[in-house]
Amino acid sequence: MNQRDDFRESLQRDNARQDRGEQAPAGLFGLLMYGGTLGLLLVIPMVGGAYFGRWLDSLNAEFGTRWTVSFIILGVVAGIWNMVWYIRGRS
Amino acid sequence: MTPFTLVLMDCTRKEQIDGAHSFVATDRSGRFGLQAGHETFVTCLQPGLARYKTDDSHWHYIAQPGATLWFHNNRLQLMTTQFVLSDSRQQLLHLLETRWQQESETQDTTLRNVTQMEQALARRLWEMNQQGGQL
């Protein structure tokens, strides 16, 4: 077998391997990792926003929830944006 | 994401790709990936498919029959005997076959020319010999 045949064969093998990888459904571990990452991307800015808003509210003499609610909403928006960015990066 | 420069070299040409973000290939230890900022790295790639991602977030494919990879100072150099680039890995084999066919044709033409030159030279030497060896 000459060098060209070797090259051709390895290229076909790699192509077939990638086809199989693209067609194969994600395993349970893969799904857990993907779902977990998406969840964290959504939850972290939300919880961070809630804590930051609560701290801002606590600085006021009249304790309110205006900043807490505002930063939770901001966190949700940031989390959704994070998820979209992550999904687009993976696809 | 910080980009790096990818330089591909074979016997006849050199391609430089600026703005590569990720490179994936296979060496004897298995499949690996490189990103900008990686420490200096040298390895020999297995023949087959390698791929890289650029600013457009699409994978671009490289077919190579084995190559030497050198990553240093955010510059990845691939040195090989031949390579083919394509955005579609299904097209790579077709491109490669086309290139091989062209190379064979060029080789045939060159061989034919050399044979003709040899024949012409031999004829000329024979004629000179017949004329008494004068140039």
Side-chain angles (χ1 to χ4, degrees), chain A residues 3 9 22 31 34 41 52-54 69 71 76-77 88:
Chain A
Q3 203 182 354
E9 198 176 274
E22 281 171 9
L31 279 175
Y34 192 62
L41 285 173
F52 185 64
R54 192 164 175 268
V69 173
F71 273 95
V76 170
V77 172
R88 282 180 65 182

Side-chain angles (χ1 to χ4, degrees), chain B residues 4 10-12 15 18 25 48 62 68 72 83 112 117-119 126:
Chain B
F4 61 88
D10 72 2
C11 310
T12 54
E15 293 257 354
D18 295 312
I62 306 164
T68 306
H72 181 66
F83 67 85
R112 210 166 31 245
M117 277 171 64
E118 276 175 358
Q119 284 172 351
W126 184 79

Side-chain angles (χ1 to χ4, degrees), chain A residues 3-8 10-19 22 88-91, chain B residues 31 47-49 51 53 61 63-65 81-82 89-90 92-93 96-97 100 103-104:
Chain A
Q3 203 182 354
R4 283 185 181 178
D5 290 333
D6 280 342
F7 188 12
R8 189 184 289 116
S10 49
L11 204 56
Q12 284 168 340
R13 185 199 58 222
D14 283 359
N15 261 330
R17 193 177 287 166
Q18 288 226 352
D19 284 339
E22 281 171 9
R88 282 180 65 182
R90 299 248 320 177
S91 58
Chain B
R31 190 181 289 179
L49 210 58
R51 59 192 163 124
K53 199 185 260 186
Y61 295 90
Q64 44 79 30
T81 51
Q82 61 177 324
R89 64 192 159 78
Q90 282 80 14
L92 280 173
L93 200 60
L96 207 58
E97 298 283 0
W100 283 341
E103 276 176 12
S104 294

